[in-house]
Amino acid sequence: MSSSLSERELVIIGVDPGKETGVVLYRKNKLREKASLPAAEVTPWVLHRLDDYDPAYFRIIIAVERYNIGPHTVKKTRQLDALDLMSQLKLTACHRHVKFRTVNQADSKKLAGDRRLKDIGWFTIGHGHINDGARVALTTLAREDATVFADLVGL
């Protein structure tokens, strides 16, 4: 029999989507894995990690940095890789019965700037996409478990 949702250990897969994608896996106050991957390799990477965690025993969240297209960005950039990847991961979350969350870039940079990532040991020198994935994971942690977040960052 599975434990109640609140008792399950939290696992967060943080994703900064794009042609080059930063991915991290959070569990027990640490980034257990991190990588910078081409967009085509991200969904298989996520699926492989999901195979390691049964949602009956873990509270799993795939958290992705939201990519917004507005009147000022539509002609400047076409981040089709980011949009496709977000759709793939949302569908993956649905099929695997795990939560899917999006995080605004501005919110994650405000809450989890470089200094904070360095302070908790989550900063990876020279890997901006991995750091952005870590920001997404940390912001999601703050929203999902404020007590664990506060303990981690020393609040």
Side-chain angles (χ1 to χ4, degrees):
M1 182 180 216
S2 66
S3 58
S4 73
L5 187 59
S6 63
E7 294 173 352
R8 295 181 204 166
E9 183 182 327
L10 182 60
V11 173
I12 301 170
I13 297 173
V15 181
D16 171 40
K19 187 175 280 296
E20 188 65 25
T21 298
V23 292
V24 302
L25 186 135
Y26 161 89
R27 181 179 175 209
K28 290 189 177 179
N29 291 345
K30 293 182 182 176
L31 292 184
R32 302 292 175 172
E33 295 186 57
K34 53 188 176 179
S36 184
L37 303 169
E41 295 178 20
V42 174
T43 300
W45 188 94
V46 169
L47 287 167
H48 181 71
R49 273 62 194 178
L50 291 176
D51 287 342
D52 293 336
Y53 298 98
D54 185 339
Y57 301 100
F58 293 92
R59 190 165 42 119
I60 305 164
I61 301 170
I62 299 173
V64 181
E65 184 177 276
R66 182 178 295 127
Y67 179 72
N68 297 317
I69 297 179
H72 301 341
T73 59
V74 71
K75 291 182 182 178
K76 293 180 186 176
T77 183
R78 300 216 190 280
Q79 290 249 6
L80 297 179
D81 291 308
L83 295 172
D84 288 344
L85 189 52
M86 287 178 69
S87 296
Q88 289 174 28
L89 294 176
K90 189 172 186 178
L91 184 61
T92 296
C94 180
H95 283 262
R96 292 296 187 99
H97 307 288
V98 301
K99 289 184 180 180
F100 178 84
R101 298 285 183 261
T102 57
V103 175
N104 284 325
Q105 182 184 44
D107 294 343
S108 67
K109 290 207 183 244
K110 182 177 179 180
L111 182 75
D114 287 351
R115 176 82 264 146
R116 179 160 278 161
L117 292 181
K118 289 175 184 175
D119 289 346
I120 63 172
W122 288 22
F123 187 81
T124 304
I125 296 170
H127 291 279
H129 293 295
I130 292 174
N131 292 327
D132 287 341
R135 286 181 232 290
V136 169
L138 191 58
T139 303
T140 303
L141 176 62
R143 292 177 178 168
E144 294 290 325
D145 196 330
T147 303
V148 171
F149 170 78
D151 288 346
L152 178 64
V153 301
L155 293 178

